[in-house]
Amino acid sequence: MRVVNAVLIAVLLGLSLACSSCSNDEKRQDMPNRTPAQIMTLNLAVSDRVNCIDGNPASLVLCVYQLDMRRDFDGLVDDPAAFHRLLDGEKFADSVLGRERYFLNPGENKRILIERRPGARLLGLAAGYYDSLPQDASLVIVLPSAERRMLRPAPRPVVLDIEVGRDALRQKRR
């Protein structure tokens, strides 16, 4: 009985150490149990003159929201006094199914893998530019259907190319 308890404790200790040693970035990069349609790839190309403050480029925050509808996101974009709520990276409405927050540096190219949440139909992006209009600092992208149906090909992976420009976000067409 002591041997069984010792083995059980050793296994639990090993599992807890393995789980606690992984960072979020490592987990995000390694999604072996996901189908390609469950993983979204964002290729971010950041301008070397991004977010200039007194002529000097500066880092900025980028918040990525997975949404099932856009009304609440658009409402915060349309109200300059409330736009900062998007930059907090918090769940601001029930339409938010998932959210991620990243810090980007001038001239950086960054590839991000995001697990697509069930029901996500839109991706809402909000960037913390020093001096931009909320409409320029935000972007909403309609995602292709992730549903598998008879007589339709399997859903394809979502790969999005985003230009984080000097003072605005833009989606580059593939």
Side-chain angles (χ1 to χ4, degrees):
M1 187 69 166
R2 283 186 174 161
V3 172
V4 172
N5 285 342
V7 169
L8 184 59
I9 290 171
V11 168
L12 290 174
L13 185 61
L15 284 174
S16 67
L17 284 173
C19 290
S20 66
S21 68
C22 294
S23 71
N24 277 344
D25 289 337
E26 289 170 340
K27 290 177 188 174
R28 201 172 292 121
Q29 296 297 327
D30 187 20
M31 297 185 203
N33 298 328
R34 302 293 180 251
T35 66
Q38 292 173 313
I39 299 172
M40 297 184 289
T41 303
L42 273 62
N43 296 315
L44 303 170
V46 184
S47 167
D48 59 352
R49 301 294 299 158
V50 72
N51 201 25
C52 284
I53 302 170
D54 296 327
N56 298 314
S59 299
L60 81 153
V61 66
L62 177 72
C63 296
V64 180
Y65 292 94
Q66 294 185 53
L67 309 166
D68 66 357
M69 71 174 120
R70 69 184 291 165
R71 181 185 66 229
D72 298 317
F73 185 89
D74 285 347
L76 294 176
V77 170
D78 292 339
D79 182 1
F83 183 72
H84 68 86
R85 289 186 59 202
L86 289 176
L87 301 176
D88 292 339
E90 299 298 323
K91 184 172 181 172
F92 54 85
D94 289 338
S95 60
V96 176
L97 304 176
R99 60 200 186 278
E100 307 272 340
R101 194 170 189 215
Y102 304 96
F103 292 92
L104 305 175
N105 295 311
E108 178 178 27
N109 288 318
K110 191 169 198 167
R111 181 175 176 245
I112 297 171
L113 300 178
I114 300 174
E115 182 179 349
R116 185 173 181 170
R117 303 289 181 168
R121 298 182 321 111
L122 306 156
L123 211 58
L125 286 76
Y129 286 101
Y130 175 68
D131 191 23
S132 284
L133 296 173
Q135 290 79 5
D136 293 333
S138 62
L139 182 64
V140 176
I141 299 168
V142 177
L143 298 172
S145 175
E147 292 181 21
R148 232 190 139 105
R149 294 187 180 172
M150 288 180 51
L151 304 176
R152 281 194 184 170
R156 296 174 44 154
V158 174
V159 179
L160 302 168
D161 296 322
I162 307 297
E163 180 183 323
V164 183
R166 181 178 178 138
D167 57 4
L169 296 175
R170 290 178 199 84
Q171 181 180 6
K172 295 191 273 184
R173 301 292 172 195
R174 295 189 133 239

